[in-house]
Amino acid sequence: MANQLSNLDQVFAALADPTRRAIVMRLCAGEASVGELAGPFDMALPSFMKHIHVLETSGLVQSEKSGRVRTCRLSADALVGAEDWFQQQRAVWEARLDRFEAYVMKLKKERAGAKRPSRTTKRKGS
């Protein structure tokens, strides 16, 4: 469990940076060389490689070097832990919202019951 949380922390930390999110989004379209990935960014290659390293450490990206070209591909399995975490959080919050909605409905019923005028019957011959 602690190892899963550590991996989850690494995935979220990797995705916290907009450059790394852009790299992941690009890799959703298919594998690419580091040079292709670095093209749209205005930074030196060593700085860009730090982003690749963070993505590899988190398990989001795998790379392979062939000659002078390093090719990266997305490893979507790393996102499974994050997806599981989001589903658990969603279930918790949906249950809380359901309880809140039930409470609000109860209050509305109580308030509506308190506002109803009491019926008084007129007696004949008064």
Side-chain angles (χ1 to χ4, degrees):
M1 180 71 161
N3 191 31
Q4 284 180 327
L5 291 177
S6 175
N7 291 343
L8 188 61
D9 290 345
Q10 288 181 331
V11 168
F12 284 139
L15 293 174
D17 184 87
T19 299
R20 293 191 287 267
R21 285 193 306 272
I23 294 167
V24 168
M25 291 304 297
R26 166 51 189 88
L27 290 174
C28 285
E31 63 182 42
S33 70
V34 169
E36 292 170 328
L37 293 171
F41 302 99
D42 187 26
M43 67 177 72
L45 192 57
S47 297
F48 187 79
M49 286 304 296
K50 289 180 183 178
H51 288 290
I52 297 296
H53 177 72
V54 170
L55 290 167
E56 285 180 316
T57 301
S58 71
L60 288 167
V61 170
Q62 294 176 341
S63 71
E64 172 179 299
K65 191 168 184 178
S66 177
R68 295 179 56 151
V69 177
R70 179 170 295 278
T71 303
C72 299
R73 76 179 87 56
L74 188 62
S75 178
D77 292 343
L79 292 173
V80 170
E83 183 180 7
D84 290 345
W85 185 85
F86 279 121
Q87 287 177 349
Q88 290 170 1
Q89 293 305 307
R90 182 178 185 158
V92 167
W93 281 101
E94 284 178 349
R96 288 177 181 172
L97 289 172
D98 289 346
R99 287 193 307 270
F100 181 67
E101 182 181 24
Y103 177 71
V104 168
M105 296 306 288
K106 177 184 169 193
L107 289 177
K108 282 183 178 181
K109 283 182 182 179
E110 289 173 0
R111 184 175 275 174
K115 288 185 179 180
R116 287 188 186 149
S118 61
R119 291 188 177 184
T120 56
T121 56
K122 290 186 178 182
R123 295 184 185 166
K124 285 188 181 181
S126 302

